[in-house]
Amino acid sequence: MDKLGKWSNIGVLFTVVLVFLSFQVAWSKGWDGVVVTQADFQALSALKHELVDPRGVLRSWNDSGVGACSGWVGIKCVNGQVIAIQLPWKGLGGRISEKIGQFQALRKLSLHDNALAGPVPTSLGFLPNLRGVYLFNNRLSGSVPASIGRCPLLQTLDLSNNQLSGTIPPSLAQSTRLYRLNLSFNAISGSIPVSFTQSPSLIFLALQHNNLSGSVPDSWGSKVARNTSYKLQFLTLDHNLLSGKIPVSLSKLSLLQQINLSHNHISGTIPDELGSLSKLLVLDFSDNAINGSFPSSFSNLTALSTLNLGNNILDNHIPDGISGLKNLSVLNLNNNKFTGQIPAAIANISGLTVLDLSKNNFSGEIPDSLDTLTNLTSFNVSYNNLSGLVPSLLSKKYNSSAFVGNLELCGYSPSTPCPSPPPQSLPSQQGTSRPHHRKLSAKDIILIAAGALSVILLLLCCVLLCCLIKKKVSSKPKNGKASGAAASSTRAAKQSPSGGAAETEPGGETGGKLVHFDGPFVFTADDLLCATAEIMGKSTYGTAYKATLEDGNQVAVKRLREKITKGQKEFEHEVAELGKIRHPSILALRAYYLGPKGEKLLVYDYMSNGSLSSFLHARGPETAIDWATRMSIAMGITRGLCFLHTKENIIHGNLTSSNILLDEKNNPRIGDVGLSRLMTSAGNTNVIATAGTLGYRAPELSKLKNASTKTDIYSLGVIILELLTGKSPSEATDGLDLAAWVASIVKEEWTNEVFDVELMRDAPNIGEELLNTLKLALHCVDPSPAARPETQQVLEKLEEIKPEIAATVNPGCSGDEEKVGDEE
Ligand SMILES: *[C@@H]1O[C@H](CO)[C@@H](O)[C@H](O)[C@H]1NC(C)=O
Ligand SMILES: *[C@@H]1O[C@H](CO)[C@@H](O)[C@H](O)[C@H]1NC(C)=O
Ligand SMILES: *[C@@H]1O[C@H](CO)[C@@H](O)[C@H](O)[C@H]1NC(C)=O
Ligand SMILES: *[C@@H]1O[C@H](CO)[C@@H](O)[C@H](O)[C@H]1NC(C)=O
Ligand SMILES: *[C@@H]1O[C@H](CO)[C@@H](O)[C@H](O)[C@H]1NC(C)=O
Ligand SMILES: *[C@@H]1O[C@H](CO)[C@@H](O)[C@H](O)[C@H]1NC(C)=O
Ligand SMILES: *[C@@H]1O[C@H](CO)[C@@H](O)[C@H](O)[C@H]1NC(C)=O
Ligand SMILES: *[C@@H]1O[C@H](CO)[C@@H](O)[C@H](O)[C@H]1NC(C)=O
Ligand SMILES: *[C@@H]1O[C@H](CO)[C@@H](O)[C@H](O)[C@H]1NC(C)=O
Ligand SMILES: *[C@@H]1O[C@H](CO)[C@@H](O)[C@H](O)[C@H]1NC(C)=O
Ligand SMILES: *[C@@H]1O[C@H](CO)[C@@H](O)[C@H](O)[C@H]1NC(C)=O
Ligand SMILES: *[C@@H]1O[C@H](CO)[C@@H](O)[C@H](O)[C@H]1NC(C)=O
């Protein structure tokens, strides 16, 4: 019943929203044209005056303030008041003016990664609307102003990696919305204010790499009523001069995920109570002076993935209960005083990758069970008091430096043979378990010799085969342009992307040419041509293959249709530009190859989860795709497109769900970027025609043959509809394309039929988000190009609808870290 009520309410809301949309003059206009207030203009002038701007990034701050809210770089306004100043990575020097206190509407100040010196302005404390302060990675000095605690809405204060000194003002905890406080990597001294232990809002407290001293206060989570849950999740206090004991009260912070107290002077024992921190993922107490035993309660830390207790003075034995740490990946107990046997139960922690028990006083044998830890990549038991045989797999995988310093341990290297075979080893284990030092029989010798001979024969065959192939290739008529290709490849190397010189491999014997752009792959033209390939799909541009290289790396190769691609010179010029494009949501072009007969191959990263189209439409009924995943895909695509439009000045022209690819974490990457630039105009017309049949084509394209940012937005809108409805645009729905179908249903009467049934299960919680997203998508597929929003606006809207995802994904299209919207 409740559900029904909610949905009919949403129905009402929706009609209101539609009306609102049609009357709103233009979303894209925003607040442009409103002149900045006098007070804010004065403050902007003062700000500019005290900054040093060697790169001239503030060039646009030139007029008398008329354009401050519409054209000045880094400034955002609402109603003529500055709400955000965002100038990160701009090479700015000088100081931050105290006049900053005049921006009464300022919500966000982001000047990180510059070369700003001088103090953090105390006048920040006068800003009632301030939510985010990002001044990290500068050269600010002086102390943290206590006044900042007066900002009632402050959420984030990040002053890390500066030269701040003095002590931490306890008043910072007065900001009851402060959830991220980062003062790490400074030279702050004094003690940690007790007030921080009672903040109901802090989630991240990062004070590492300072000169803090005294003990860590032991009043965590004590002040407010019992039913308040403390929010602290990340507590990093490492690399300070803290002393005293580990506070027992940390156990009250039930949401803690990470505690790092390493590299301090902490002593005493580990409180048993910490075993109740069931959300803990990382615990690092290393490099202190902690004594006592390994707490048996730790067997309850089932989520823990990293446990570092190295370089302390812990003793006694490790309890068998350690196998309760089911999710543990890294266990480092090196350089302590642990005694007793290494518990065989450690082998029950099947995901263990690092096990360091070196420099202790463990005795007895290394348990055979450790051989079953298949994911172990690093193992060290050196400098203990171990004896007996090293289990065979361990001795094969690790060299002697992992075992040395144990007087009675044997069998891990030729110089440490075991005195005699172990008393009872089962015949079935002989092959793999214990090394035996018996004499070789004649039969063995014959077998070994035969084996060696066959290996040599095999090698010979390979060499012969290679020679034959080479000969055949070079006997083909050689391309007359070979030397020319080599010359032009040198030029390409010089023009290569900023990230590093492109390596080029001139023709050689195959007569082709391979040009690498920056990226992780190393392969030659031969490697590429000899890779095993399977066809992934065909399109108007050409055929896509999945190629597996000799070293096991996989790449996606697109073989372009020769008839519709531009001539070599033009092609190379354009492709060099495409090879520079790097963004987390854009499929990276890693190399291209020009064959002797004019073949053109493009090499991209291989995306294991295939295309968005198959992800959505070709899955079993069991595999549901939740709303958060769909939303993060929509955001990723929008970020990528926004980057293309605003930073690269590229129109995609053929955005469809089949050329959005998904990596192993389902992050989207836009494929086929800029391919239209490599095509002749005839080729491009062809593509536009095809896009139309797939239902992604903006209506105006039937008359004008020119793709634009607005036709891309139309396609983006269709993809968002696809995510919302779970329907493919090509599958006819009442004879209408997807955009028209959704619009028709919405027009008739509100019905939740539009949404994918899977999403409806969660409808009571996400109803409004679905609705707002639908509204946005419909805005994008508006028949009139001028009415459609810009990518930047689509992005802001999506982030507003689901801010919790916005905060976890990669930087936006501007390359800027956070959006004002995030602070809401
Ligand atoms: C101010 O800068 C903008 C952008 O750099 C430029 O378009 C405009 O002409 C400049 N105005 C003046 C008065 O110099
Ligand atoms: C704090 O700042 C440091 C240095 O800038 C950074 O590495 C770290 O990730 C930040 N931590 C948080 C929780 O913001
Ligand atoms: C921080 O502490 C270290 C070690 O005691 C000392 O060498 C350094 O001078 C201190 N730095 C400041 C700025 O106090
Ligand atoms: C905490 O408990 C008090 C009284 O028992 C109650 O009035 C208050 O609403 C509770 N607060 C929360 C957050 O549950
Ligand atoms: C683990 O937690 C359970 C339930 O909270 C508790 O009863 C048990 O004593 C704990 N185990 C240890 C070893 O502390
Ligand atoms: C196990 O650890 C990983 C991090 O390595 C974490 O993402 C995951 O949530 C943990 N699992 C549980 C059950 O806590
Ligand atoms: C692993 O755990 C099971 C039960 O949880 C136990 O029976 C077995 O002995 C453990 N294995 C080792 C090697 O301790
Ligand atoms: C071992 O590693 C592989 C690959 O990283 C992973 O898929 C598997 O789940 C891991 N095994 C365990 C038991 O954690
Ligand atoms: C190592 O442990 C044994 C007991 O197992 C003890 O006798 C010996 O003194 C310890 N050695 C060191 C160096 O602590
Ligand atoms: C090694 O362990 C044995 C007992 O297993 C003990 O008697 C001996 O003292 C230990 N040696 C050292 C150096 O700790
Ligand atoms: C042993 O292996 C480690 C890495 O696993 C390596 O750093 C070290 O140099 C090797 N030592 C010898 C003696 O081979
Ligand atoms: C093993 O630990 C010892 C002492 O902690 C260290 O010197 C050595 O490099 C380590 N070896 C490996 C392979 O990690």
Side-chain angles (χ1 to χ4, degrees):
M1 322 286 132
D2 219 19
K3 238 178 177 173
L4 275 177
K6 181 107 188 185
W7 278 92
S8 54
N9 282 344
I10 289 174
V12 173
L13 205 155
F14 189 72
T15 28
V16 173
V17 161
L18 276 186
V19 171
F20 171 70
L21 261 187
S22 51
F23 279 97
Q24 192 178 29
V25 185
W27 193 17
S28 52
K29 268 202 174 159
W31 302 99
D32 286 7
V34 180
V35 174
V36 70
T37 64
Q38 194 56 32
D40 281 13
F41 174 63
Q42 276 174 4
L44 281 171
S45 308
L47 193 63
K48 184 181 180 186
H49 184 73
E50 293 190 37
L51 292 175
V52 175
D53 178 20
R55 292 193 217 153
V57 288
L58 302 180
R59 229 175 292 122
S60 57
W61 294 27
N62 53 6
D63 59 34
S64 57
V66 186
C69 286
S70 48
W72 288 21
V73 67
I75 300 299
K76 280 190 183 164
C77 304
V78 166
N79 288 335
Q81 287 192 291
V82 175
I83 61 156
I85 301 173
Q86 294 169 269
L87 295 162
W89 292 295
K90 297 287 187 289
L92 295 173
R95 303 155 68 94
I96 307 171
S97 169
E98 281 287 349
K99 286 272 162 57
I100 199 128
Q102 221 162 304
F103 294 108
Q104 284 299 298
L106 192 69
R107 292 155 73 152
K108 175 172 181 180
L109 176 65
S110 173
L111 299 171
H112 63 85
D113 292 274
N114 281 295
L116 298 167
V120 178
T122 49
S123 62
L124 286 176
F126 298 127
L127 299 178
N129 289 299
L130 197 62
R131 286 156 166 83
V133 177
Y134 307 87
L135 300 176
F136 53 94
N137 298 346
N138 278 293
R139 296 172 199 158
L140 299 168
S141 55
S143 50
V144 180
S147 59
I148 295 184
R150 289 205 296 260
C151 298
L153 300 180
L154 191 67
Q155 296 176 357
T156 296
L157 178 61
D158 193 336
L159 305 177
S160 62
N161 203 15
N162 279 289
Q163 292 155 15
L164 299 173
S165 52
T167 58
I168 303 177
S171 63
L172 288 185
Q174 282 171 16
S175 300
T176 54
R177 308 235 178 137
L178 186 66
Y179 73 84
R180 186 194 291 269
L181 178 62
N182 197 342
L183 304 178
S184 62
F185 296 89
N186 280 292
I188 299 173
S189 53
S191 54
I192 299 171
V194 174
S195 59
F196 285 3
T197 64
Q198 285 144 16
S199 162
S201 59
L202 271 181
I203 296 176
F204 302 89
L205 181 56
L207 305 176
Q208 69 270 27
H209 290 267
N210 276 294
N211 268 8
L212 296 169
S213 55
S215 55
V216 182
D218 194 2
S219 47
W220 298 94
S222 62
K223 195 176 160 195
V224 195
R226 282 236 174 114
N227 54 6
T228 319
S229 75
Y230 282 86
K231 300 208 178 82
L232 199 65
Q233 293 179 20
F234 299 88
L235 178 63
T236 43
L237 306 176
D238 54 287
H239 294 86
N240 278 292
L241 310 169
L242 297 166
S243 54
K245 294 187 173 181
I246 300 170
V248 179
S249 58
L250 286 176
S251 62
K252 292 190 188 157
L253 303 171
S254 58
L255 301 178
L256 265 182
Q257 292 186 18
Q258 218 180 93
I259 306 178
N260 195 338
L261 298 180
S262 72
H263 289 91
N264 278 294
H265 303 319
I266 290 173
S267 55
T269 60
I270 302 172
D272 228 21
E273 288 83 348
L274 297 188
S276 67
L277 294 171
S278 60
K279 299 247 160 70
L280 209 55
L281 295 174
V282 177
L283 185 62
D284 191 344
F285 287 159
S286 62
D287 294 275
N288 279 292
I290 300 169
N291 59 20
S293 337
F294 187 99
S296 59
S297 67
F298 274 19
S299 60
N300 273 347
L301 297 175
T302 49
L304 199 67
S305 103
T306 299
L307 179 58
N308 191 350
L309 296 175
N311 296 324
N312 279 293
I313 40 180
L314 294 159
D315 57 20
N316 218 326
H317 64 281
I318 307 290
D320 276 347
I322 195 168
S323 62
L325 298 165
K326 292 273 177 276
N327 201 21
L328 202 62
S329 168
V330 175
L331 178 60
N332 181 8
L333 303 176
N334 92 78
N335 200 15
N336 277 287
K337 296 203 169 332
F338 286 112
T339 57
Q341 303 223 335
I342 298 173
I346 286 185
N348 271 5
I349 310 175
S350 55
L352 210 58
T353 59
V354 175
L355 180 58
D356 191 346
L357 305 176
S358 63
K359 292 192 171 171
N360 278 288
N361 187 11
F362 287 110
S363 52
E365 297 196 7
I366 301 175
D368 276 343
S369 61
L370 297 191
D371 260 355
T372 64
L373 290 170
T374 49
N375 281 11
L376 207 57
T377 56
S378 169
F379 176 78
N380 201 338
V381 291
S382 61
Y383 303 101
N384 278 287
N385 186 7
L386 296 164
S387 54
L389 272 168
V390 171
S392 68
L393 287 183
L394 290 179
S395 71
K396 277 185 198 132
K397 250 170 106 177
Y398 303 100
N399 65 29
S400 55
S401 96
F403 304 102
V404 292
N406 291 284
L407 281 180
E408 290 176 62
L409 199 62
C410 64
Y412 56 86
S413 72
S415 60
T416 57
C418 290
S420 62
Q424 0 116 304
S425 72
L426 301 170
S428 65
Q429 291 181 329
Q430 273 191 6
T432 52
S433 70
R434 308 265 164 174
H436 289 259
H437 297 267
R438 61 196 170 110
K439 283 204 171 144
L440 296 174
S441 68
K443 198 176 151 198
D444 287 336
I445 293 172
I446 292 172
L447 276 175
I448 290 171
L453 195 67
S454 54
V455 167
I456 292 170
L457 277 176
L458 205 74
L459 274 176
L460 262 176
C461 280
C462 285
V463 170
L464 269 176
L465 210 70
C466 280
C467 290
L468 274 176
I469 292 171
K470 284 259 158 87
K471 219 171 178 178
K472 201 173 161 201
V473 170
S474 52
S475 67
K476 281 184 189 169
K478 265 202 175 175
N479 194 327
K481 285 187 210 149
S483 61
S488 73
S489 69
T490 331
R491 200 170 56 237
K494 280 186 187 142
Q495 297 170 346
S496 71
S498 51
E503 299 162 37
T504 63
E505 193 199 320
E509 298 199 277
T510 56
K513 169 182 170 185
L514 177 71
V515 178
H516 281 280
F517 302 112
D518 73 324
F521 299 114
V522 186
F523 55 83
T524 64
D526 283 335
D527 292 344
L528 186 62
L529 300 180
C530 297
T532 45
E534 51 185 282
I535 295 189
M536 293 194 293
K538 290 188 181 187
S539 74
T540 11
Y541 289 129
T543 309
Y545 299 86
K546 167 185 168 183
T548 307
L549 301 169
E550 205 52 55
D551 57 9
N553 278 324
Q554 292 177 326
V555 292
V557 178
K558 193 145 213 159
R559 181 176 183 149
L560 298 175
R561 280 177 52 200
E562 281 150 45
K563 281 183 193 150
I564 58 166
T565 45
K566 286 180 175 163
Q568 178 171 345
K569 210 171 162 191
E570 258 186 292
F571 175 87
E572 289 204 63
H573 176 76
E574 297 285 2
V575 82
E577 292 301 314
L578 299 184
K580 292 180 194 170
I581 301 176
R582 291 290 180 266
H583 185 276
S585 300
I586 308 273
L587 190 65
L589 176 61
R590 298 299 183 186
Y592 68 90
Y593 172 79
L594 294 177
K597 292 196 223 119
E599 314 90 298
K600 297 187 175 71
L601 303 184
L602 301 180
V603 183
Y604 293 96
D605 287 345
Y606 173 69
M607 293 291 117
S608 53
N609 283 5
S611 74
L612 175 60
S613 174
S614 59
F615 181 68
L616 275 177
H617 309 305
R619 62 194 154 108
E622 255 70 273
T623 42
I625 305 172
D626 65 18
W627 176 230
T629 305
R630 295 180 201 228
M631 208 44 184
S632 91
I633 290 174
M635 262 183 229
I637 300 170
T638 312
R639 275 166 210 268
L641 192 63
C642 184
F643 174 78
L644 288 182
H645 285 179
T646 61
K647 300 283 163 215
E648 295 289 336
N649 214 358
I650 286 183
I651 287 159
H652 190 285
N654 188 23
L655 200 63
T656 68
S657 63
S658 33
N659 54 36
I660 307 290
L661 299 148
L662 300 176
D663 70 13
E664 69 284 354
K665 289 178 181 155
N666 288 331
N667 297 311
R669 312 270 168 108
I670 302 177
D672 278 6
V673 166
L675 283 199
S676 58
R677 292 193 177 186
L678 306 179
M679 303 294 149
T680 59
S681 48
N684 280 321
T685 317
N686 205 347
V687 169
I688 288 174
T690 335
T693 63
L694 292 172
Y696 294 91
R697 185 177 68 159
E700 70 270 21
L701 276 178
S702 53
K703 288 184 229 126
L704 310 157
K705 296 274 180 220
N706 282 332
S708 68
T709 56
K710 296 294 189 172
T711 59
D712 276 352
I713 291 286
Y714 186 96
S715 310
L716 175 66
V718 176
I719 292 173
I720 298 176
L721 287 177
E722 217 176 331
L723 285 164
L724 281 170
T725 61
K727 288 191 168 28
S728 158
S730 55
E731 87 193 33
T733 324
D734 307 331
L736 297 167
D737 70 22
L738 187 58
W741 176 74
V742 171
S744 74
I745 290 196
V746 166
K747 208 170 170 185
E748 286 294 319
E749 194 188 325
W750 165 248
T751 159
N752 48 28
E753 251 176 58
V754 167
F755 297 120
D756 196 331
V757 279
E758 278 170 20
L759 295 176
M760 297 306 292
R761 283 181 219 142
D762 255 328
N765 301 324
I766 59 170
E768 234 179 308
E769 293 176 8
L770 290 177
L771 207 55
N772 286 330
T773 312
L774 181 63
K775 176 184 107 183
L776 177 65
L778 287 175
H779 195 175
C780 293
V781 298
D782 195 299
S784 153
R788 294 174 206 150
E790 302 287 347
T791 39
Q792 179 73 52
Q793 292 160 329
V794 180
L795 186 58
E796 278 167 13
K797 202 76 191 170
L798 286 171
E799 289 177 339
E800 197 181 308
I801 295 171
K802 212 143 177 68
E804 64 272 39
I805 290 185
T808 61
V809 285
N810 290 311
C813 79
S814 56
D816 201 2
E817 255 215 345
E818 319 84 9
K819 294 267 149 346
V820 172
D822 289 359
E823 306 298 332
E824 294 301 309

